């Protein structure tokens, strides 16, 4: 209750400030790019106090000039070692909202010590208030919100991301953080709404569509998840997108489509173990073809390891497959060949337990394998 009250108070305060700081729209307005260029010049010259004066008043209510300077200032040794140059400034769309402006600033950084030249880009949003364009900046608050998210302090990250998104509705990083905070607090509909806004903001970004697809999948909205993953593939047919699509097909009981998606992932990258492993899972648990499952598992095991979670699931699936083959004919009569299968299964369930020794599922299979070996 206290958290919800705090969120409501902060959100109302932000909206009140925005409504009161925005001036009446006029036909003639200064070019927002001029403010952006001036701000970048001041930042590049390390005139941070002057740069702070160009921030939106709403942002200033969350950070003082001294805090802004301290957050952005670098030691002399660092400041004197590189130089930024703006190469290009591209305008970005803003949903028919004349109080906002968006730009992508492409830059080059010359690093004197290493004599390297590095290229990159920044995204900036500006707010029109009190007759002039002001920079929207939430650097410190965004960092704190990210730390809360990483530390699984979702109540705290939610509050901060709500503030940022209320002031800066075009902040894709904050929208993603907002969605992740919501989903981890089991507020699925709110998470999906935030991800939908992210897709609206970045319609040509396949990562935005897959992120929305992930949230749909976790909410068991499988048809919507399939649509999101398919859109991502339409934009950029990457192996991992086909794996994601195959997984949601499998959860939706569409095993033929899942098989096809996993195979398309392998066609694009035959050295990625994930597609082979997921095919093995599909054939073991859903299509009940242990021979094919073993073929796919063996292929996955020959490739580079996956993340710990996926790798231990591969080890467990393979161990279960070997155990099932060993006891299929007669659990009370284990032949020499079946004993070899059990010993191999013991090796792989041991690898799974090494990654997660607290898993009751892994421990149970390990005990069953040991019982068979002792009985034989």
């Amino acid at each position: 209750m206290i958290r919800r009250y705090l969120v409501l108070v902060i959100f109302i305060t932000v909206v009140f400030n925005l409504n009161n700081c925005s001036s009446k729209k006029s036909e003639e307005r200064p070019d927002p790019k001029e403010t952006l260029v001036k701000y970048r010049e001041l930042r590049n010259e390390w005139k941070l106090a002057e740069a702070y004066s160009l921030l939106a008043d709403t942002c200033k209510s969350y950070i003082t000039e001294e805090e802004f300077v301290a957050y952005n200032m670098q030691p002399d040794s660092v400041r004197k070692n590189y130089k930024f140059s703006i190469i290009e400034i591209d305008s970005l769309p803003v949903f028919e909202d004349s109080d906002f402006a968006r730009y992508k600033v492409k830059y080059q950084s010359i690093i004197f010590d290493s004599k390297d030249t590095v290229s990159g880009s920044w995204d900036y949003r500006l707010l029109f208030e009190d007759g002039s364009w002001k920079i929207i900046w939430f650097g410190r608050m965004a960092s704190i919100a990210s730390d809360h998210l990483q530390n699984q302090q979702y109540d705290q990250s939610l509050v901060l991301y709500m503030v940022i998104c209320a002031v800066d509705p075009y902040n894709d990083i904050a929208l993603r953080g907002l969605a992740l905070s919501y989903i981890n607090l089991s507020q699925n509909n709110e998470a999906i709404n935030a991800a939908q806004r992210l897709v609206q903001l970045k319609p040509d970004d396949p990562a935005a569509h897959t992120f929305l697809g992930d949230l749909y999948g976790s909410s068991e909205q499988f048809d919507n998840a399939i649509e999101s993953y398919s859109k991502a593939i339409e934009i950029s047919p990457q192996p991992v997108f086909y794996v994601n699509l195959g997984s949601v097909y499998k959860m939706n009981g569409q095993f033929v489509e899942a098989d096809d998606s996993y195979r398309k992932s392998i066609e694009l990258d035959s050295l990625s173990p994930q597609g082979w492993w997921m095919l093995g899972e599909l054939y073991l648990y859903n299509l009940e073809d242990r021979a094919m499952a073993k073929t796919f598992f063996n292929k996955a095991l020959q490739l580079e390891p996956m993340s710990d979670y996926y790798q231990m699931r591969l080890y467990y699936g393979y161990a279960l497959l070997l155990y099932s083959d060993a006891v299929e004919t007669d659990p009370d009569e284990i032949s020499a060949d079946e004993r070899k299968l059990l010993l191999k299964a013991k090796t792989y369930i041991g690898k799974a337990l090494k990654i997660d020794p607290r898993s009751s599922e892994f421990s149970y299979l390990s005990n069953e394998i040991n019982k068979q070996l002792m009985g034989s």
Side-chain angles (χ1 to χ4, degrees):
M1 179 65 70
I2 294 175
R3 176 181 65 79
R4 291 181 180 176
Y5 175 75
L6 178 60
V7 171
L8 182 62
V9 169
I10 292 178
F11 185 76
I12 291 174
T13 301
V14 169
V15 173
F16 178 81
N17 288 338
L18 284 176
N19 288 338
N20 283 275
C21 72
S22 296
S23 64
K24 294 181 179 180
K25 298 176 183 178
S26 60
E27 295 182 1
E28 295 296 331
R29 287 185 171 181
D31 185 354
K33 188 183 294 187
E34 295 176 0
T35 300
L36 177 56
V37 170
K38 183 178 180 182
Y39 177 77
R40 274 314 322 171
E41 288 175 348
L42 292 172
R43 290 291 302 265
N44 293 346
E45 295 170 4
W46 299 100
K47 297 178 180 179
L48 297 176
E50 295 178 52
Y52 177 81
S53 69
L54 297 178
L55 297 188
D57 291 341
T58 308
C59 297
K60 289 179 183 177
S61 65
Y62 295 102
I63 188 167
T64 66
E65 178 184 315
E66 291 75 16
E67 290 170 333
F68 177 82
V69 172
Y71 181 87
N72 289 286
M73 185 59 73
Q74 297 289 333
D76 284 344
S77 58
V78 175
R79 285 188 283 140
K80 294 178 180 179
N81 188 41
Y82 62 85
K83 180 180 180 180
F84 287 110
S85 300
I86 294 177
I87 305 303
E88 188 178 358
I89 301 179
D90 296 328
S91 178
L92 299 174
V94 288
F95 305 147
E96 300 180 355
D97 191 339
S98 60
D99 280 339
F100 286 90
R102 295 174 62 213
Y103 292 97
K104 180 177 288 294
V105 179
K106 298 177 183 178
Y107 69 86
Q108 276 190 343
S109 175
I110 300 174
I111 305 173
F112 300 127
D113 281 353
S114 59
K115 298 181 180 178
D116 288 336
T117 300
V118 178
S119 298
S121 65
W122 299 297
D123 283 357
Y124 279 101
R125 276 79 58 192
L126 293 89
L127 175 66
F128 191 77
E129 63 176 21
D130 298 331
S132 62
W133 288 99
K134 302 291 184 65
I135 301 292
I136 296 176
W137 186 90
F138 278 108
R140 189 187 67 156
M141 185 180 287
S143 296
I144 295 172
S146 178
D147 289 342
H148 284 319
L149 192 63
Q150 292 296 321
N151 294 326
Q152 301 180 14
Q153 298 167 324
Y154 304 120
D155 284 347
Q156 293 93 321
S157 64
L158 177 64
V159 171
L160 297 182
Y161 282 128
M162 284 185 70
V163 171
I164 294 171
C165 291
V167 178
D168 184 5
Y170 300 97
N171 191 319
D172 59 297
I173 296 174
L175 280 172
R176 185 181 179 87
L178 183 66
L180 289 172
S181 300
Y182 274 130
I183 199 69
N184 281 288
L185 291 170
S186 300
Q187 298 183 44
N188 293 15
N189 289 337
E190 291 83 353
I192 288 171
N193 288 339
Q196 287 172 336
R197 286 160 56 194
L198 179 62
V199 167
Q200 184 183 17
L201 188 63
K202 307 186 75 174
D204 298 325
D205 182 3
H209 290 278
T210 57
F211 181 57
L212 178 57
D214 292 342
L215 297 182
Y216 278 135
S218 64
S219 300
E220 298 186 358
Q221 298 183 35
F222 299 128
D223 289 341
N224 288 334
I226 290 168
E227 183 179 351
S228 292
Y229 289 138
S230 298
K231 181 62 179 179
I233 289 170
E234 179 184 328
I235 297 170
S236 177
Q238 297 182 32
V240 67
F241 298 163
Y242 277 110
V243 169
N244 292 342
L245 179 60
S247 296
V248 77
Y249 272 134
K250 184 173 74 169
M251 289 187 288
N252 205 33
Q254 296 174 257
F255 302 134
V256 173
E257 291 84 353
D259 189 0
D260 181 64
S261 293
Y262 291 144
R263 290 177 186 273
K264 285 179 178 176
S265 170
I266 292 169
E267 288 175 10
L268 291 172
D269 184 4
S270 61
L271 298 180
S272 173
Q274 197 166 2
W276 293 107
W277 164 58
M278 293 304 293
L279 266 175
E281 294 258 303
L282 178 69
Y283 274 81
L284 177 61
Y285 298 117
N286 304 110
L287 300 179
E288 298 181 355
D289 186 337
R290 294 210 301 269
M292 288 296 292
K294 185 180 293 186
T295 298
F296 297 135
F297 279 145
N298 277 322
K299 183 64 178 179
L301 289 165
Q302 294 170 17
L303 300 171
E304 290 295 320
M306 299 177 284
S307 67
D308 281 352
Y309 176 78
Y310 291 153
Q311 194 66 28
M312 70 183 182
R313 298 307 307 179
L314 169 60
Y315 290 147
Y316 170 76
Y318 191 53
L320 178 62
L321 177 60
L322 295 171
Y323 169 78
S324 300
D325 283 348
V327 301
E328 180 181 26
T329 305
D330 185 356
D332 297 325
E333 291 290 336
I334 301 298
S335 67
D337 288 341
E338 290 167 342
R339 180 176 173 81
K340 290 179 182 179
L341 290 176
L342 287 171
L343 288 171
K344 195 172 184 180
K346 182 176 180 178
T347 297
Y348 280 97
I349 197 61
K351 291 183 177 184
L353 279 166
K354 187 175 181 179
I355 297 174
D356 185 5
R358 296 177 296 179
S359 171
S360 59
E361 185 180 28
F362 298 169
S363 296
Y364 178 80
L365 179 58
S366 180
N367 289 336
E368 291 300 306
I369 293 170
N370 286 330
K371 287 179 185 178
Q372 292 296 328
L373 287 170
M374 291 174 64
S376 67

